[in-house]
Amino acid sequence: MTAPGRRTDPGGPFDPGGPFDPGPEGADTHLVLEDGAGRHSLWPLWRVVPAGWRREFGPASHAACLDRVRSGPVPP
């Protein structure tokens, strides 16, 4: 049995991949989240933002969000 949304054959449904896979190049597929302690997380756009976190950046491409996480905190 295949997980829901997984491509089972060339004509099958779109496979979104894992939650941290880049997705289609240039597509806005991710967010950067921030928690109350200022920690950042790369987050897939299609997942619900968990309690205690807020959108800090995005939606944007995986690459742009990863660059944002790597750049560190934004000064107030």
Side-chain angles (χ1 to χ4, degrees), residues 3-31:
R6 293 284 180 189
R7 182 180 296 269
T8 56
D9 64 270
F14 173 71
D15 178 359
F20 301 102
D21 290 344
E25 185 159 342
D28 292 344
T29 57
H30 287 77
L31 303 167

Side-chain angles (χ1 to χ4, degrees), residues 6-55:
R6 293 284 180 189
R7 182 180 296 269
T8 56
D9 64 270
F14 173 71
D15 178 359
F20 301 102
D21 290 344
E25 185 159 342
D28 292 344
T29 57
H30 287 77
L31 303 167
V32 174
L33 304 183
E34 182 176 55
D35 70 2
R39 293 176 293 216
H40 291 105
S41 179
L42 177 65
W43 200 253
L45 182 60
W46 56 269
R47 298 282 313 254
V48 174
V49 174
W53 292 80
R54 67 173 185 83
R55 289 182 182 204

